[in-house]
Amino acid sequence: MDVSNRTVFIAGGTSGIGAGLASRFRAAGSTVVVGGRRVTDADADADADEIEAVTIDVTDPASVLAARDAVLAAHPDLDLVVTMSGVMLTEDLRDPAHVAEAEQSVAVNLLGTIRVVDAFTPHLLARGQGDVLTVTSGIGFTPFPLMPTYGATKAAVHSYTESLRAHLAGTGVGVSELVPPAVATAGQEQLNPNALPLDAFLDEVIGLLSQDPTPHEVIVERARPLRWSERDGTYDEMLAQRSRALASLPGR
């Protein structure tokens, strides 16, 4: 994947990993537009003269379509769409009230991804070339039980990405999946002191994206134990270890 001469839209690119990717693409020479519910966040992470921002709420179909129209009106040569929007919410499955967090996770992480992909796929197909990059998580392969629906939505996005790749085969539109581990951003450094520093993560990601051919799954070294735990026979041990975080819930 060429990262130096692209026109990129990153939904959820106003903070965290998304903002980091936006800066890396821009530094490589690409034109970048980021989207978020609060686009003023972009001003703190990137030069507004270099990285444009549009408002998008991926839980609102009308907002997604409005963002698409704004991006394509300004950048009809758009050729890379990154679906970065996501929320990481803890839940206590002993308390039925957790369903509010579950519904929000599904709305943002899963349905939001599908909406963004659907909005831009006709444009990419009409061009006959381009790329879609979805974002899942190592938690989608080896659960972190404190965030059960988050993990379930990321597993669902992985499956959806596999199907999307099959649907778009032969069209000139590539489909890849970014599988992050815990990265030291968006509060992950507080939950996990061993979270991978953002710059180190981005260095690996850009290197993997630049491989020819681009991997179907972009997996940095820190994420590999989570991605392949079942294959490697470490799943049960890792799940038990990761379940210890449930002790932090009230009343446990």
Side-chain angles (χ1 to χ4, degrees), residues 1 10 16 31 34 41 45 48 52 54 100 120 125 133 136 138 181 185 192 195 227 236 241 247 250:
M1 183 185 295
I10 305 178
T31 299
V34 296
D41 288 353
D45 295 312
E52 300 174 42
V54 298
F120 287 95
L125 290 176
L133 178 64
T136 59
T185 184
N192 185 352
R227 173 64 179 94
D236 289 344
Q241 181 183 35

Side-chain angles (χ1 to χ4, degrees), residues 129-151:
Q129 62 180 33
D131 291 282
V132 174
L133 178 64
T134 63
V135 181
T136 59
S137 170
I139 295 175
F141 300 94
T142 303
F144 182 51
L146 192 61
M147 299 178 176
T149 307
Y150 174 80

Side-chain angles (χ1 to χ4, degrees), residues 74-216:
H75 301 284
D77 57 343
L78 180 81
D79 62 355
L80 173 58
V81 176
V82 184
T83 62
M84 182 64 66
S85 298
V87 292
M88 300 183 69
L89 304 177
T90 60
E91 298 172 64
D92 184 347
L93 301 190
R94 298 182 183 182
D95 180 0
H98 84 90
V99 72
E101 285 75 27
E103 289 175 345
Q104 184 179 357
S105 296
V106 171
V108 176
N109 301 349
L110 178 55
L111 293 177
T113 294
I114 294 171
R115 287 191 181 101
V116 172
V117 171
D118 282 353
F120 287 95
T121 295
H123 165 78
L124 296 176
L125 290 176
R127 294 187 80 252
Q129 62 180 33
D131 291 282
V132 174
L133 178 64
T134 63
V135 181
T136 59
S137 170
I139 295 175
F141 300 94
T142 303
F144 182 51
L146 192 61
M147 299 178 176
T149 307
Y150 174 80
T153 59
K154 292 302 185 178
V157 172
H158 165 70
S159 179
Y160 192 86
T161 303
E162 294 282 288
S163 295
L164 178 66
R165 186 179 301 113
H167 277 260
L168 300 187
T171 67
V173 180
V175 178
S176 295
E177 171 188 350
L178 176 59
V179 186
V183 178
T185 184
Q188 277 299 291
E189 62 276 16
Q190 298 174 12
L191 285 173
N192 185 352
N194 297 315
L196 184 63
L198 179 59
D199 281 339
F201 170 72
L202 293 171
D203 287 344
E204 273 194 84
V205 168
I206 295 299
L208 290 168
L209 287 174
S210 300
Q211 290 180 355
D212 187 12
T214 303
H216 285 171

Side-chain angles (χ1 to χ4, degrees), residues 8-15 18-19 21-23 32-36 39 41-43 46 51-56 71:
V8 188
F9 175 60
I10 305 178
T14 57
S15 62
L21 277 178
S23 293
V32 183
V33 184
V34 296
V39 296
D41 288 353
D43 296 335
I51 297 180
E52 300 174 42
V54 298
T55 300
I56 184 171
V71 171

Side-chain angles (χ1 to χ4, degrees), residues 31-72:
T31 299
V32 183
V33 184
V34 296
R37 289 188 303 162
R38 296 179 299 276
V39 296
T40 53
D41 288 353
D43 296 335
D45 295 312
D47 187 334
D49 292 332
E50 296 184 344
I51 297 180
E52 300 174 42
V54 298
T55 300
I56 184 171
D57 179 351
V58 299
T59 67
D60 179 354
S63 176
V64 173
L65 295 180
R68 176 203 63 191
D69 292 346
V71 171
L72 293 182

